[in-house]
């Protein structure tokens, strides 16, 4: 049976309202109810959840049919009230770009819901522009918080965010301390503070010392900064700094790096999200590598039309339907990744579960015969050859891999040859490797600054 009990949470002395006939302050009440809403959908019975999702899909399709000729063409003569999602065509990136260019937002001023224009961070080619609503932004905040309640994570731990930011800082980083990270519930539960560190080519020793100065708590950081930090101060950071959990952002986490955290009993918890739709799935707390789909936000399908074989596991394209995408509808949207999907998780969670997620920005090479193979170069392999400050590897053609690097010193001919040899070893085909030494990498609007991306997938 369900038991709701606040005895394990630190409810603040000033948590409740002083008003007559009132318990919680309205803002707190709304946030608590919103969290419970999402928990009920994502952890409740499958039948209820699927019924709710069907209703949401019908609502969204009816909205599309009434507001958009682009969507009317896709829906055709089908009845939106009983339409099977699988009958709609896949929404490719170019389709999305065309819809936004010709129709802008499908939520308009009379709807009285704020909209904002966002874009994906394409490191090359055309960034995808799309509209998000105020509801989407509110959802993302609440859903982020809900994960702490789903897993029963301690709210009193601090949060430390390491963010790559190309600015000039003394020692290459800047620390800002902020209040609670609990959003609207900060006046209700005792919660830890937020430490926001922006960095750009940081002095690693000094950054490690800065991190160890305070309890770290929940650490949100890219593997690319974690690797050098652990090389410098593994013991200090993993065992003696109050590190509760690492939530990697940006790129995938190498198994050997995960193992270092596992050895010290520090959980690593990734999430799978996309700028276009927000959260897609959260890593299972019991089975690393399995991701519970955020069913209050999206419906995920795997398209078997284009299968790939990843170390003996068959993967298909990830199609995402964002249930609240009223400003720019994303229905069966090809997000550019591959994965496998199971109906349930081995942990017992009765909901769709993704694994083997990989994609455009996640370590894949595309070949001229259209086959796709894994490609993963470790940071440490590059560092053994040259003392790098920053790098970016891209597949720019069927037979071309390009590496741009900023090095501390001049790059010798011998180092170049070794880099080319290393990258060729990682490609399963005979690729041409171009090495380009640059002063700074021009990331453009690419906020994620991924070490690798495939520009042709
Ligand atoms: Zn699970």
């Amino acid at each position: 049976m369900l038991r709701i009990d606040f005895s394990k949470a630190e409810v603040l002395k000033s948590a409740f309202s002083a008003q007559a006939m009132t318990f919680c302050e309205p803002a707190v009440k709304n946030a608590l109810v919103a969290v419970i809403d999402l928990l009920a959908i994502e952890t409740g019975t499958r039948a209820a959840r699927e019924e709710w999702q069907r209703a949401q899909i019908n609502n969204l399709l009816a909205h599309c049919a009434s507001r958009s000729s682009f969507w009317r063409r896709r829906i055709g003569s089908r009845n939106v009230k009983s339409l099977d999602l699988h009958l709609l065509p896949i929404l490719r990136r170019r389709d999305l770009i065309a819809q936004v260019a010709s129709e802008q937002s499908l939520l308009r001023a009379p709807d009285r819901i704020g909209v904002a224009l966002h874009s994906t961070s394409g490191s090359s080619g055309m960034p995808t522009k799309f509209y998000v609503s105020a509801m989407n932004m509110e959802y993302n905040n609440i859903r982020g918080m809900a994960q702490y309640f789903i897993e029963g994570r301690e709210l009193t731990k601090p949060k430390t965010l390491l963010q790559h930011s190309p600015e000039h800082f003394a020692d290459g980083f800047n620390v800002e301390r902020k209040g609670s990270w609990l959003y609207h519930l900060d006046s209700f539960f005792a919660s830890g503070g937020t430490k926001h560190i922006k960095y750009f080519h940081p002095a690693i020793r000094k950054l490690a010392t800065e991190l160890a100065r305070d309890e770290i708590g929940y650490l949100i950081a890219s593997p690319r900064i974690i690797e050098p930090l652990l090389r410098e101060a593994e013991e200090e950071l993993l065992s003696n700094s109050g590190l509760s959990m690492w939530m990697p952002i940006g790129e995938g986490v190498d198994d050997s790096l995960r193992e270092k955290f596992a050895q010290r009993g520090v959980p690593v918890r990734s999430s799978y999200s996309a700028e276009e739709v927000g959260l897609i799935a959260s890593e299972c707390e019991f089975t690393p590598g399995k991701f519970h789909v955020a069913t209050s936000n999206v419906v995920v399908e795997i398209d078997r039309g284009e299968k790939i074989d990843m170390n003996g596991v068959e993967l298909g394209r990830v199609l995402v339907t964002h249930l609240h995408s009223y400003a720019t509808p994303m229905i069966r949207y090809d997000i550019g990744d591959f994965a496998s999907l199971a109906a349930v998780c081995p942990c017992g969670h009765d909901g769709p579960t993704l694994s083997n997620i990989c994609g455009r920005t996640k370590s894949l090479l595309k070949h001229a015969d259209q086959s796709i193979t894994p490609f993963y170069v470790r940071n440490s392999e590059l560092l053994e050859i040259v003392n790098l400050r920053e790098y970016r590897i891209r597949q720019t053609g069927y037979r071309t891999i390009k590496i741009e690097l900023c090095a501390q010193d001049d790059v010798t001919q011998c180092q170049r040859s070794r880099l080319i040899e290393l990258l060729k070893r990682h490609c399963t085909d005979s690729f041409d490797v171009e090495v380009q030494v640059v002063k700074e990498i021009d990331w453009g609007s690419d906020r994620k600054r991924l070490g690798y991306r495939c520009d042709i997938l």
Side-chain angles (χ1 to χ4, degrees):
M1 199 39 226
L2 172 68
R3 173 182 173 139
I4 298 179
D5 174 2
F6 283 76
S7 63
K8 298 265 189 327
E10 277 190 50
V11 176
L12 293 167
K13 183 163 180 268
S14 57
F16 296 106
S17 170
Q19 299 290 312
M21 292 179 278
T22 306
F23 308 98
C24 289
E25 295 291 351
V28 169
K29 185 147 114 180
N30 289 342
L32 279 174
V33 168
V35 166
I36 289 174
D37 263 359
L38 303 188
L39 298 191
I41 287 181
E42 294 198 10
T43 66
T45 57
R46 178 180 283 265
R49 175 168 66 238
E50 290 179 351
E51 183 76 10
W52 174 81
Q53 287 185 327
R54 259 191 297 278
Q56 296 305 325
I57 290 168
N58 292 344
N59 292 338
L60 181 60
L61 287 170
H63 168 79
C64 290
S66 77
R67 301 264 172 114
S68 157
S69 55
F70 171 91
W71 279 101
R72 276 194 292 276
R73 279 197 299 278
R74 295 175 84 83
I75 294 166
S77 58
R78 303 176 186 105
N79 180 358
V80 292
K81 292 217 172 78
S82 56
L83 179 57
D84 184 355
L85 198 58
H86 306 87
L87 297 174
L88 286 172
I90 292 171
L91 184 71
R92 311 272 181 203
R93 203 163 289 248
R94 60 175 180 274
D95 304 322
L96 185 75
I97 292 170
Q99 188 273 320
V100 172
S102 65
E103 302 181 330
Q104 286 79 46
S105 170
L106 299 191
L107 283 175
R108 294 170 190 137
D111 294 309
R112 296 178 178 279
I113 302 172
V115 290
L117 183 62
H118 282 204
S119 63
T120 56
S121 46
S123 69
S124 69
M126 207 184 326
T128 313
K129 290 199 165 80
F130 53 91
Y131 291 89
V132 298
S133 74
M135 183 272 171
N136 300 145
M137 293 183 256
E138 180 71 10
Y139 172 90
N140 292 342
N141 286 326
I142 297 285
R143 184 60 187 77
M145 220 158 52
Q147 196 63 29
Y148 287 79
F149 294 92
I150 289 176
E151 293 182 23
R153 293 182 195 157
E154 287 234 36
L155 304 179
T156 48
K157 299 275 181 206
K159 201 178 251 190
T160 304
L161 170 65
L162 274 175
Q163 186 194 1
H164 185 287
S165 182
E167 296 169 56
H168 179 74
F169 306 117
D171 299 326
F173 64 89
N174 176 59
V175 183
E176 213 180 320
R177 287 185 171 74
K178 296 173 182 170
S180 164
W181 48 266
L182 251 191
Y183 196 47
H184 289 324
L185 294 178
D186 61 347
S187 62
F188 192 80
F189 294 114
S191 65
T194 314
K195 185 174 178 182
H196 187 171
I197 304 177
K198 288 185 182 169
Y199 63 88
F200 189 55
H201 304 315
I204 291 294
R205 178 65 256 171
K206 287 187 174 166
L207 180 57
T209 305
E210 175 55 50
L211 278 168
R213 192 189 307 280
D214 304 299
E215 183 185 356
I216 296 177
Y218 302 109
L219 177 64
I220 302 167
S222 146
R224 248 216 274 180
I225 188 71
I226 292 298
E227 260 199 52
L229 279 168
L230 293 196
R231 258 200 312 278
E232 183 67 39
E234 184 170 329
E235 179 70 24
E236 197 176 341
L237 294 176
L238 291 186
S239 298
N240 307 325
S241 58
L243 178 60
S244 311
M245 182 180 281
W246 174 34
M247 299 157 170
I249 47 170
E251 40 215 320
V253 184
D254 178 30
D255 285 344
S256 61
L257 194 53
R258 259 182 192 271
E259 188 49 37
K260 285 187 179 170
F261 283 80
Q263 278 167 5
R264 316 279 177 135
V266 178
V268 176
R269 204 86 84 238
S270 297
S271 57
Y272 174 35
S273 61
E275 285 165 78
E276 296 97 314
V277 300
L279 185 69
I280 300 171
S282 312
E283 188 168 13
C284 176
E285 61 179 304
F286 306 107
T287 329
K290 305 283 179 193
F291 288 74
H292 299 179
V293 172
T295 45
S296 63
N297 195 40
V298 292
V299 169
V300 172
E301 298 168 68
I302 296 293
D303 175 36
R304 304 256 164 230
E306 188 184 349
K307 287 180 264 191
I308 62 162
D309 183 279
M310 179 72 113
N311 305 323
V313 183
E314 197 181 88
L315 312 181
R317 273 192 183 271
V318 178
L319 305 181
V320 180
T321 295
H322 182 205
L323 298 167
H324 319 298
S325 57
Y326 282 75
T328 296
M330 314 255 179
I331 302 169
R332 309 198 78 213
Y333 178 54
D334 177 358
I335 207 100
D337 294 327
F338 290 81
S340 43
L341 180 68
V344 295
C345 181
C347 76
H349 169 70
D350 185 19
T353 302
L354 286 164
S355 50
N356 303 302
I357 303 164
C358 52
R360 207 160 22 90
T361 55
K362 298 176 189 71
S363 319
L364 291 179
L365 280 181
K366 185 163 187 174
H367 303 264
D369 65 358
Q370 303 301 304
S371 67
I372 290 161
T373 55
F375 176 77
Y376 191 85
V377 182
R378 290 191 180 91
N379 211 339
S380 50
E381 291 178 285
L382 297 168
L383 281 165
E384 272 170 28
I385 299 174
V386 55
N387 193 1
L388 287 166
R389 287 200 301 149
E390 198 168 35
Y391 73 93
R392 172 167 66 184
I393 304 173
R394 285 186 294 160
Q395 182 183 8
T396 55
Y398 285 125
R399 289 183 171 277
T400 321
I401 289 281
K402 204 177 250 182
I403 176 165
E404 295 160 89
L405 50 99
C406 316
Q408 308 281 24
D409 321 297
D410 286 343
V411 179
T412 64
Q413 200 52 45
C414 168
Q415 285 171 316
R416 273 176 192 266
S417 307
R418 287 178 63 202
L419 280 171
I420 292 171
E421 192 190 316
L422 170 76
L423 291 176
K424 282 191 175 215
R425 210 166 55 231
H426 277 283
C427 306
T428 51
D429 217 332
S430 54
F431 271 74
D432 291 325
V433 177
E434 291 174 22
V435 179
Q436 204 180 351
V437 180
V438 292
K439 269 210 166 67
E440 291 294 340
I441 290 174
D442 178 12
W443 292 99
S445 62
D446 183 0
R447 289 192 298 275
K448 287 190 180 163
R449 293 158 209 280
L450 300 170
Y452 173 74
R453 78 180 278 143
C454 173
D455 286 345
I456 59 170
L457 197 62

